[in-house]
Amino acid sequence: MRILVTGAAGMIGQKLVARLAAEGHVGGRPIAALLLHDVVAPAAPPGLAAESVTGDLAGPGAAAELAAFRPDLVFHLAGVVSGEAEADFELGYRVNLHGTLALFEALRQAGSHPRLVYASSIAVFGAPFPEVIPDDFHPVPLTSYGTQKLMGELLLNDYTRRGFLDGIGLRLPTICVRPGRPNKAASGFFSSIIREPLAGREAVLPVPREVVHTHASPRAAVGFLLHAATLDAAAIGARRNLTMPGVAVSVAEEIAALGRVAGEAPLALIRDAPDPAVWAIVRNWPTRFAATRARDLGFAAETSFEEIIRIHIADELGGVVPRPAS
Amino acid sequence: MRILVTGAAGMIGQKLVARLAAEGHVGGRPIAALLLHDVVAPAAPPGLAAESVTGDLAGPGAAAELAAFRPDLVFHLAGVVSGEAEADFELGYRVNLHGTLALFEALRQAGSHPRLVYASSIAVFGAPFPEVIPDDFHPVPLTSYGTQKLMGELLLNDYTRRGFLDGIGLRLPTICVRPGRPNKAASGFFSSIIREPLAGREAVLPVPREVVHTHASPRAAVGFLLHAATLDAAAIGARRNLTMPGVAVSVAEEIAALGRVAGEAPLALIRDAPDPAVWAIVRNWPTRFAATRARDLGFAAETSFEEIIRIHIADELGGVVPRPAS
Ligand SMILES: NC(=O)c1ccc[n+]([C@@H]2O[C@H](COP(=O)([O-])OP(=O)(O)OC[C@H]3O[C@@H](n4cnc5c(N)ncnc54)[C@H](O)[C@@H]3O)[C@@H](O)[C@H]2O)c1
Ligand SMILES: NC(=O)c1ccc[n+]([C@@H]2O[C@H](COP(=O)([O-])OP(=O)(O)OC[C@H]3O[C@@H](n4cnc5c(N)ncnc54)[C@H](O)[C@@H]3O)[C@@H](O)[C@H]2O)c1
């Protein structure tokens, strides 16, 4: 099996590539060749021969070069995140829309008909919402990022219907706990308030503790991608974009879970500092999803926020739970 | 007021331009300049000075030339219809998606911030449907045409939210009775079965008479466009794409209405000839819409199919109802 990963140097991309390298196969089919692409040089995984190409996916000829690899499976993860796509209108459209258009067109013209797994986002939804968002609720994005992701979903569905691709779009919830330094996503604080206190650093909470949001771990995100890679297409039907499951919790519940896992000490490092600019964005975000179709198709996330924190500790902190303050 | 009409040589475009010429103003604001664009040379309307430009909207520099006109009001009607966009994949994307992208981008860069009225379509919806499609039902197109129209809607909403345009998208139902010769739209028979028998010619009905569909007259379509041109934007809210109202009837009811208007003789000219290819498309089409938001905003269509037939007779046949057979 020949696999292409775009956005391979990103947070999810790196974790996916590490998992592919560790397993050596996808759904029992051995990985014969792996091509990694990103605008930042992607690191080669240990133990698996991989080529890598560094460049702008939307640049002239870039997508055609990737399509010439004739992948059987594509993970399309390259993207400019929400905060940046909102701050830089042209960059967001260039990467998220035109990069995706270029990739799909190049794959159509190359004719290798790959299974393509696309990282979409719950940012395709915009307020007002029902209490729980059903699978057939209309997506009306309130950000340029959400607009671009949804346009990619529509292309994916049409290219699949026409037989040019075998696409599956995954509307990922906010992936948490995001490791490393904070990025430009407006959702960053959901991770900071767990990651930073666990590391003994202060974290700022810019929204009220009543805010409810849906999360899955980076490990669950990689699980979604791999499940989509091997799913029987007939089971999915004509609607190829799926809202992924996750854990819907309030910020207060997240903080309580942190206390149960790591004791009271880290909680004192969370400083409430309401930020009207962040709140203006976050209050238009979706909260809870039914995700019925995805669950029925076997996509599974964590079942509690405590589990999400424990996965962060296992995968990023060497399994060491910081000693609770006595 | 400076007005640009794309697709001005088309069926709706011609009727809109004739109405603009007849009225000389839009919502009380006199028309100072009118620019007509189409890939087919648009005819100048009688009684109103109009410039016209002939060319491909998606061609290099074409959209920038139109934006340099600095319109206050744009009617974006140019498009490749459903049957043709399905038959010619590249043409459909070039005109319906890239033409729209080019127009919106050129207008953003020119900075005249026009009200832009966009001709979208109920083809943004795809089966399965609820009995009546509510305004918040998710659009999942089952044609490339519907995909392209929906991508245009999303762009319109985002460009409006960002303040680059003041857009309103209208999801038009099937416009009926379409005058002139049949075109490449799969919906053509809905018009043929009325227009052709009224002219003493045979018409073929390729689908079962039980099929229910929603229609509005060409006159109503022009009314929607003009109403959208002057609507108070604050009343619309953030969701700028609206499903238009129409008359939902079965083919059997349409034929009965024809009988009431023109007698029994034309009915004998309708020949049932089921066509599996047409049926495969039509059975995935939406039937009835709530169109609550549009009705509340004052968009009005006909209230019966008889009225739609009488408008055809008034506007296309000089008001002469063909003599009923005795
Ligand atoms: N992390 C989340 O919470 C989340 C939620 C929903 C959707 N997503 C989507 O999942 C995908 C991966 O997310 P992530 O958290 O790993 O994001 P990330 O920002 O860590 O990774 C995205 C990668 O895309 C690359 N990229 C940007 N512009 C590019 C270009 N022009 N050409 C090639 N590569 C380019 C970046 O360099 C980066 O490595 C993204 O598309 C993101 O929008 C993420
Ligand atoms: N008539 C309907 O039932 C209906 C229903 C829903 C939506 N619409 C939409 O309303 C609009 C007008 O519909 P219509 O019935 O008048 O269609 P039409 O086909 O009569 O007119 C469309 C016009 O667009 C022009 N055009 C095509 N490609 C072009 C290009 N590359 N550059 C510039 N112009 C180009 C065509 O020459 C034509 O004159 C279309 O966008 C159509 O998709 C129509």
Side-chain angles (χ1 to χ4, degrees), chain A residues 205-233:
Chain A
L205 176 61
V207 303
R209 294 193 176 208
E210 295 72 44
V211 166
V212 172
H213 200 69
T214 293
H215 300 284
S217 72
R219 197 197 281 179
V222 170
F224 296 156
L225 295 171
L226 289 173
H227 186 60
T230 56
L231 204 57
D232 173 17

Side-chain angles (χ1 to χ4, degrees), chain A residues 6-13 37-40 55-58 76-82 91 94-96 119-122 145 149 170-176 178 183 187:
Chain A
T6 75
M11 187 271 281
I12 298 175
H37 182 268
D38 204 297
V39 72
V40 171
D56 174 5
L57 179 62
H76 177 35
L77 311 179
V80 160
V81 295
S82 54
L91 178 70
R94 200 179 78 235
V95 178
N96 294 342
S120 187
S121 165
I122 53 162
Y145 171 79
K149 287 287 178 188
L170 309 181
R171 292 174 180 160
L172 302 177
T174 298
I175 302 307
C176 185
R178 187 182 177 93
N183 73 348
S187 56

Side-chain angles (χ1 to χ4, degrees), chain B residues 188-200:
Chain B
F189 68 87
F190 286 115
S191 286
S192 307
I193 59 167
I194 306 300
R195 184 188 61 234
E196 300 301 311
L198 278 176

